[in-house]
């Protein structure tokens, strides 16, 4: 039986002869139902219409995304370490070319995903590379295709390999996670942030939201908590959720400046907007 994939968010669901009645990820207030209604596809159909592109981000870091744009335009990042490769975030399309390329690079030691908008076809990636999928337990309810490959973790941090640490920031999702990569940029460090910390067109700032498409902000304490959790880590570059968003450098300062700006406007008394 097929595992249907929601075309709006890219989430693959448990197998069934018919598509599910609805996609819970899209019905959630952080997403939306398109005016054209709920539509479904399968991995086999997707392989006929899309292909994956590979982008060299920096030595040891390779972006993988689908062309043309599919679902919310997710892109995964392959992090190469001496202990093995880690796939950060995931995309719906997994085709033979992608499998051969990733296997040629040494396969995958582990898969880790920032939040449910990137769960996509994680079970298929796991099976192709015999790698566990690490998800934060606080987002368990959003797993639409349960499988033994999923390893739930708890708490604030989890080390995947030396210098490669998952940090649960919450915010956009309760289990919202970023990945700190200590050796990136010749030792300057990088934050692989998904949209838990969102890269935006202005490279001097990032931002934070509960819902990006529906423009629902996070609370002040939630953003302060993100700042506190990331305080112990050093990073220069912040890699966001998509290919088409520029990354930035001066990462620690960018985050601090952005939190200050966010809180300034969130806590204003309304007078600044009339000046
Ligand atoms: Zn969906
Ligand atoms: Zn998201």
């Amino acid at each position: 039986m097929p595992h249907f994939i929601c075309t709006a968010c890219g989430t693959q669901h448990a197998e069934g002869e018919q598509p599910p009645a609805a996609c819970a990820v899209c019905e959630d207030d952080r997403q939306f139902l398109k005016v054209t209604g709920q539509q479904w596809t399968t991995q086999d159909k997707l392989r006929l219409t899309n292909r994956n592109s590979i982008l060299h981000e920096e030595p040891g870091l390779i972006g993988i995304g689908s062309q043309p744009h599919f679902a919310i335009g997710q892109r995964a990042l392959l992090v190469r370490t001496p202990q093995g490769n880690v796939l950060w975030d995931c995309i719906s399309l997994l085709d033979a070319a992608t499998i051969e390329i990733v296997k040629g690079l040494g396969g995958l030691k582990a898969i880790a995903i920032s939040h449910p908008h990137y769960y996509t076809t994680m079970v298929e990636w796991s099976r192709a590379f015999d790698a566990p999928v690490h998800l934060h337990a606080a987002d368990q309810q959003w797993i639409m295709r349960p499988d033994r490959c999923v390893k739930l973790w708890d708490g604030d941090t989890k080390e995947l390999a030396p210098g490669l640490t998952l940090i649960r920031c919450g915010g956009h999702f309760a289990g919202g996670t970023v990945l700190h990569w200590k050796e990136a940029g010749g030792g300057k460090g990088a934050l692989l942030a998904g949209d838990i910390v969102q890269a935006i067109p202005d490279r001097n700032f990032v931002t934070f939201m509960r819902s990006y498409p529906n423009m629902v902000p996070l609370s002040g304490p939630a953003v302060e908590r993100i700042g506190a959790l990331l305080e112990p880590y050093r990073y220069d570059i912040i890699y966001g959720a998509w290919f088409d968003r520029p990354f930035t450098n001066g990462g620690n300062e960018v985050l601090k400046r952005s939190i200050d700006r966010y809180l300034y406007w969130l806590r204003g008394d309304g007078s600044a907007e009339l000046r």
Side-chain angles (χ1 to χ4, degrees):
M1 284 194 288
H3 292 87
F4 285 95
I5 297 170
C6 170
T7 61
C9 71
T11 304
Q12 189 178 48
H13 287 59
E15 68 176 356
E17 276 181 32
Q18 300 296 322
C23 172
V25 178
C26 285
E27 288 197 324
D28 175 50
D29 76 335
R30 281 162 281 210
Q31 284 293 111
F32 57 97
L33 204 55
K34 289 188 174 179
V35 289
T36 46
Q38 179 68 54
Q39 293 177 342
W40 302 93
T41 189
T42 63
Q43 185 71 265
D44 286 345
K45 281 187 190 167
L46 200 52
R47 287 180 184 133
L48 299 176
T49 54
N50 290 60
R51 67 189 68 171
N52 286 338
S53 64
I54 308 289
L55 187 72
H56 185 260
E57 302 276 6
E58 66 169 89
L61 189 67
I62 295 166
I64 309 173
S66 294
Q67 306 294 332
H69 177 106
F70 177 71
I72 55 177
Q74 292 97 329
R75 114 44 185 84
L77 289 167
L78 182 73
V79 187
R80 308 189 68 197
T81 79
Q83 287 76 33
N85 299 327
V86 171
L87 189 75
W88 169 246
D89 278 339
C90 199
I91 61 173
S92 300
L93 175 62
L94 178 60
D95 59 8
T98 309
I99 292 172
E100 192 163 333
I101 289 168
V102 173
K103 282 190 174 170
L105 292 171
L108 297 179
K109 164 195 164 83
I111 299 168
I113 303 181
S114 59
H115 71 296
H117 293 150
Y118 281 74
Y119 287 178
T120 61
T121 62
M122 59 185 177
V123 176
E124 297 200 9
W125 285 76
S126 169
R127 293 196 178 160
F129 302 106
D130 193 23
V133 180
H134 299 285
L135 305 179
H136 197 279
D139 287 338
Q140 185 174 9
Q141 71 178 104
W142 301 106
I143 299 171
M144 296 302 150
R145 184 181 171 184
D147 191 88
R148 280 198 310 263
C149 72
V150 173
K151 309 293 178 202
L152 296 174
W153 64 281
D154 251 318
D156 286 343
T157 61
K158 177 181 176 64
E159 196 175 61
L160 291 177
L164 209 55
T165 308
L166 295 171
I167 306 152
R168 181 264 194 125
C169 291
H172 179 45
F173 271 82
T177 297
V178 301
L179 178 65
H180 180 251
W181 179 24
K182 194 176 173 197
E183 296 307 319
K188 290 182 175 175
L191 199 64
L192 281 52
D195 57 6
I196 306 309
V197 172
Q198 177 75 284
I200 51 177
D202 181 348
R203 295 161 67 101
N204 295 307
F205 289 90
V206 291
T207 197
F208 319 87
M209 285 194 132
R210 171 173 172 80
S211 171
Y212 295 96
N214 301 329
M215 300 186 195
V216 184
L218 283 184
S219 67
V223 171
E224 284 181 309
R225 188 165 57 233
I226 292 171
L229 283 160
L230 295 180
E231 176 58 30
Y233 299 91
R234 301 276 76 83
Y235 48 89
D236 188 40
I237 295 177
I238 299 172
Y239 289 98
W242 293 289
F243 273 140
D244 59 356
R245 295 288 174 91
F247 60 78
T248 190
N249 46 33
N252 286 91
E253 293 71 35
V254 166
L255 187 82
K256 186 175 183 319
R257 188 188 305 137
S258 301
I259 291 173
D260 289 347
R261 181 176 78 165
Y262 188 97
L263 296 175
Y264 172 82
W265 287 106
L266 200 70
R267 292 169 178 166
D269 60 7
S271 60
E273 291 89 336
L274 293 177
R275 241 178 264 138

